[in-house]
Amino acid sequence: MKLSPTEEELMNHLWKLKKAFMKDLLEEYSDPKPAATTISTLLKRMQDKDFVAYNTKGKSREYYPLVSKENYFSKHMKGLIKNFFNDSPAQFASFFTKKAEFTEAELEELKEIIDGKLNKKK
């Protein structure tokens, strides 16, 4: 299941904080801050999608993510590769490296990462 852009923004704040009360989440936004009711609605939707849960502390709720940022991003990358690059990681890598206009040093760094992954597979 996917988050909307506004849910993703809120989720990024929650991933950063790891656990947060409503007031903590509101503090993460720059001005003009969204209304507390807006954040509450987003949190409820995200709970319904099983992205967020909470513990009750007195009369307040302390929210925490149920999905890691890495897992969320990984699933979206797989979907992107499947839907836009014919399920071909090579086509994705080709597009990515051609369109991003990396420096030679950045390409070398990417090569080292890939070589490291290949060596672990052996």
Side-chain angles (χ1 to χ4, degrees):
M1 195 171 285
K2 187 165 175 10
L3 295 171
S4 71
T6 52
E7 291 169 339
E8 281 183 359
E9 181 181 14
L10 179 56
M11 197 70 188
N12 271 311
H13 295 313
L14 194 53
W15 280 321
K16 177 184 165 194
L17 296 171
K18 296 183 178 40
K19 290 183 178 180
F21 294 98
M22 174 81 71
K23 67 176 181 61
D24 302 321
L25 291 166
L26 280 168
E27 286 174 9
E28 290 296 308
Y29 285 87
S30 56
D31 290 327
K33 295 182 185 298
T37 54
T38 300
I39 300 302
S40 180
T41 300
L42 291 172
L43 287 166
K44 175 66 175 123
R45 276 198 263 157
M46 292 159 66
Q47 287 172 54
D48 293 344
K49 294 178 181 181
D50 292 324
F51 279 94
V52 172
Y54 65 87
N55 292 316
T56 304
K57 305 265 179 148
K59 292 183 179 182
S60 299
R61 293 178 176 181
E62 184 177 42
Y63 295 92
Y64 59 92
L66 293 174
V67 176
S68 73
K69 188 173 189 174
E70 293 77 19
N71 284 347
Y72 181 73
F73 185 70
S74 175
K75 285 183 182 180
H76 284 285
M77 286 303 302
K78 288 177 184 174
L80 181 76
I81 291 168
K82 181 179 181 186
N83 294 327
F84 292 98
F85 298 97
N86 300 318
D87 210 9
S88 169
Q91 282 184 16
F92 168 73
S94 175
F95 175 84
F96 179 68
T97 54
K98 287 177 186 172
K99 298 298 180 189
E101 298 181 13
F102 292 114
T103 65
E104 187 174 340
E106 290 167 333
L107 288 169
E108 284 295 330
E109 185 178 359
L110 288 172
K111 183 180 179 295
E112 286 176 23
I113 292 167
I114 292 169
D115 287 345
K117 278 290 207 185
L118 287 171
N119 288 334
K120 284 183 182 178
K121 300 250 181 201
K122 291 180 182 179

